[in-house]
Amino acid sequence: MKARVTVTLKNGVLDPQGKAIESALGTLGFDGVGSVRQGKVFDIELDHEDRAKAQTDLTAMCEQLLANTVIENYTIEIQ
Amino acid sequence: MKARVTVTLKNGVLDPQGKAIESALGTLGFDGVGSVRQGKVFDIELDHEDRAKAQTDLTAMCEQLLANTVIENYTIEIQ
C-alpha cells in the first residue's frame, strides 16, 4: 500500500526558502507570481493492506517524526 | 489562482534522506514500512485566472528552476 504525506508550513510562519524562489522566479521573468510556499512530501510504501492501521500509523509518524506540528500542517493520502 | 507543484526523485535515484527517515521510523517502532522517498512541494499563487497561461508558465518554472529534470520528476496541479 502506498501513501503520500504532504507537510506544509502553517499560515503566518515565515518561509525564507519560498521567498527566495519567489524572487528568483521574478528575476527569470515570470510575472504574476503572487507568493510561493515550499513544503515537503513523503512517499511511503507500507507492507500491509490494512487502511485503518495505515491511517493510524501514518498519523503517529507525522506527529512523532515527519512534521513539526508547532509550525507545520500535514495531510495524508492513502492510495 | 493557486497551483501545487510536486517534485519527486526519479526511480533509481538514490535518496539518502528518505533512507534516513525509513531507518528512523524503524527505530521509533513502526514496522511494515517498505520504503520512504522524500520530495518537495511548492504552493504557488498566481495573480491571474488564465489556466492555459498558468500551465505554460508553471511548466517553464519547473524546467528552469523548480526541478532538476535530470534526476527529478514534477507534477502540476492547478486548483
Side-chain angles (χ1 to χ4, degrees), chain A residues 4 6 8 21 25 30 32-47 57 60-61 66, chain B residues 4 6 8 21 25 30 32-47 57 60-61 65-66:
Chain A
R4 170 164 282 187
T6 309
T8 50
I21 295 164
L25 287 173
F30 294 103
V33 177
S35 79
V36 181
R37 307 273 291 169
Q38 187 175 355
K40 285 171 284 186
V41 67
F42 303 97
D43 287 318
I44 301 175
E45 229 173 278
L46 299 169
D47 290 340
D57 277 4
M61 287 177 201
L66 302 180
Chain B
R4 171 164 281 187
T6 309
T8 51
I21 295 163
L25 287 173
F30 294 104
V33 177
S35 79
V36 180
R37 305 274 290 169
Q38 187 176 353
K40 287 171 283 189
V41 68
F42 303 97
D43 287 318
I44 301 175
E45 229 173 279
L46 300 169
D47 289 341
D57 278 4
M61 289 177 199
L65 183 75
L66 302 179

Side-chain angles (χ1 to χ4, degrees), chain B residues 10-63:
Chain B
K10 287 186 181 175
N11 283 336
V13 177
L14 207 67
D15 180 8
Q17 210 169 351
K19 284 278 166 217
I21 295 163
E22 207 179 297
S23 111
L25 287 173
T27 310
L28 284 172
F30 294 104
D31 47 356
V33 177
S35 79
V36 180
R37 305 274 290 169
Q38 187 176 353
K40 287 171 283 189
V41 68
F42 303 97
D43 287 318
I44 301 175
E45 229 173 279
L46 300 169
D47 289 341
H48 58 84
E49 292 295 323
D50 181 345
R51 287 185 83 85
K53 178 171 157 52
Q55 183 72 42
T56 317
D57 278 4
L58 289 164
T59 306
M61 289 177 199
C62 287
E63 295 284 337

